[in-house]
Amino acid sequence: MLRVALAGNPNAGKTSLFNVLTGARQHVGNYPGVTVEKRWGEVTSGSRRFSVVDLPGTYSLTSFSPEERVARDELLHGDHEVVVVVADSTALKRSLMLLAQIMQLGKRPVLCLNMADEAQQGGQEIDVPKLEAMLGFPVVETEAHRGRGRNEVIAAIERAARQDRPTPPSLGGPLDAAIAAVADALDCGSLAPAKRWLATRLLVDDRVIDELGIDNSKAITLAAHEREGLEASTGQDAALLVTDSYFAYVGMLLDHVVKSASRDDARKTSEAIDRILVHRWLGLPIFAGVMFTIFWLTFTLGEIPMGWIESGFAQLGGFVDGLWPAASESPLRSLIVQGIIAGVGGVV
Ligand code: GDP
Ligand code: MG
């Protein structure tokens, strides 16, 4: 049976797609030793059947929260033939950063452009055939929360399974050469398809390789040498160079396939505002200012409606009071006027 994994950023719609694919045929449990939820199930469509697992959301394969670690280990060591990368179409840059890393893992991906409805509402149009041609594997647009695109995803998974592993992303001449050299020196057994990703991690001195339990001292020495060369020739820290290169690759893809992105402008404005509001030094003073303004407005602007409420209740009290003869000692009158109306008025 074909084995499929769903990967993607948190909130991209993986679980929605998983539910659409599997229907009721799903199981929920935990990954061993961690409180990270595991969902897996079976997909049937006509005579076709395959298993699918919904991986925890992750932004990259390098961070170390339990969720991200689980996702990374599953992608690295799992035996999934196809990885469906679920992307939030309204935040493609971030989603495709993960895709670029998964491509380096030597997986057969399917790119699922989810939230197509929201992206279209925002005025974004994607040239899907062109993106597919550039990437070399299937790309489909979906609206997972409505179940739109289920059959297309299933067809794309089958198509991807029959294809060769796609070529890894091009990260620029010098970096590609360094990655290739380190990858050649790596001896990683069953992880051979992931060589380019492992080599990239070694170049930034991430010793993920230590966990693999293989002696790779030769590759580690070579990686240190290549890193020095890269840093000398680019004048940039190797880790920064790698991140920038992923970004440049993703940016190049988007330049070619995104036809209009008015949403992008809206995002830029909101990002510019965020940069000020959550700034390291300005953030707290701005927060204090906002709190003070709210406090001040409550007591100054609040005076006005407070006056209306007070005089309103005074009038109502006077009117009801007038329903009794002036000298009446009726307990009902004092209950309603002094108790209920004055009481409720005070609270309001
Ligand atoms: P996960 O964190 O990747 O598992 O994401 P979920 O499947 O939990 O989805 C996050 C939210 O996005 C949920 O509220 C979904 O209903 C919603 N959602 C999922 N797919 C789509 C879509 O294609 N369009 C829209 N508008 N919302 C979606
Ligand atoms: Mg989920």
Side-chain angles (χ1 to χ4, degrees):
M1 190 158 46
L2 190 67
R3 286 169 306 263
V4 179
L6 302 185
N9 296 164
N11 287 317
K14 290 177 304 302
T15 302
S16 304
L17 183 66
F18 175 80
N19 289 335
V20 163
L21 286 174
T22 58
R25 305 174 68 102
Q26 54 172 267
H27 312 274
V28 183
N30 265 354
Y31 286 95
V34 282
T35 53
V36 176
E37 194 178 76
K38 177 173 186 173
R39 284 170 184 273
W40 70 103
E42 224 174 80
V43 183
T44 48
S45 172
S47 61
R48 296 167 294 198
R49 280 175 68 212
F50 46 84
S51 72
V52 51
V53 56
D54 180 18
L55 298 182
T58 182
Y59 289 108
S60 80
L61 302 177
T62 55
S63 305
F64 294 101
S65 74
E67 284 81 11
E68 293 182 313
R69 204 178 247 279
V70 165
R72 187 199 70 187
D73 288 347
E74 282 274 315
L75 287 170
L76 200 54
H77 304 292
D79 53 1
H80 318 291
E81 278 109 345
V82 176
V83 176
V84 177
V85 178
V86 183
D88 174 353
S89 300
T90 67
L92 273 181
K93 255 202 179 125
R94 209 170 49 200
S95 299
L96 297 190
M97 283 292 277
L98 179 66
L99 176 73
Q101 296 169 60
I102 289 176
M103 284 165 75
Q104 281 193 309
L105 281 179
K107 296 291 178 185
R108 289 183 185 78
V110 165
L111 174 58
C112 178
L113 299 171
N114 195 39
M115 313 255 179
D117 51 334
E118 285 198 15
Q120 276 152 19
Q121 271 164 28
Q124 178 180 270
E125 243 184 273
I126 295 181
D127 188 341
V128 174
K130 189 167 179 183
L131 182 56
E132 200 163 284
M134 291 180 80
L135 289 171
F137 50 81
V139 179
V140 278
E141 284 187 302
T142 57
E143 288 166 36
H145 69 318
R146 288 209 200 101
R148 220 204 88 208
R150 179 182 194 264
N151 293 337
E152 289 79 358
V153 172
I154 292 174
I157 289 171
E158 298 209 304
R159 209 143 46 88
R162 286 194 301 266
Q163 287 180 349
D164 289 335
R165 295 176 200 279
T167 43
S170 161
L171 301 179
L175 183 54
D176 281 339
I179 292 173
V182 177
D184 266 349
L186 264 176
D187 171 17
C188 42
S190 63
L191 287 179
K195 259 186 177 177
R196 294 187 70 92
W197 183 75
L198 290 167
T200 310
R201 298 320 304 160
L202 275 186
L203 277 173
V204 302
D205 202 19
D206 170 359
R207 302 297 281 273
V208 59
I209 197 116
D210 293 349
E211 296 168 25
L212 303 182
I214 311 162
D215 176 27
N216 259 304
S217 44
K218 225 174 59 190
I220 291 170
T221 315
L222 178 64
H225 176 72
E226 292 283 346
R227 178 167 57 247
E228 275 169 28
L230 278 175
E231 289 183 342
S233 69
T234 61
Q236 216 181 355
D237 176 69
L240 222 58
L241 176 68
V242 166
T243 309
D244 282 359
S245 304
Y246 282 134
F247 254 119
Y249 172 73
V250 167
M252 181 276 297
L253 284 177
L254 293 180
D255 282 349
H256 280 87
V257 301
V258 177
K259 287 183 195 156
S260 51
S262 54
R263 169 69 72 99
D264 231 35
D265 298 338
R267 292 223 161 196
K268 268 181 203 140
T269 316
S270 101
E271 273 167 20
I273 295 170
D274 275 356
R275 262 200 298 279
I276 298 169
L277 292 186
V278 299
H279 184 271
R280 188 187 305 209
W281 305 117
L282 294 178
L284 275 180
I286 290 175
F287 173 70
V290 168
M291 292 312 286
F292 174 80
T293 308
I294 290 172
F295 196 75
W296 179 79
L297 282 178
T298 307
F299 285 92
T300 52
L301 273 190
E303 282 290 336
I304 300 166
M306 252 153 74
W308 299 338
I309 292 167
E310 264 168 28
S311 70
F313 274 94
Q315 274 176 27
L316 181 66
F319 168 74
V320 176
D321 199 45
L323 295 178
W324 277 269
S328 163
E329 299 258 327
S330 160
L332 185 63
R333 172 188 184 177
S334 104
L335 171 72
I336 294 179
V337 177
Q338 268 119 52
I340 297 176
I341 297 180
V344 171
V347 170
V348 171

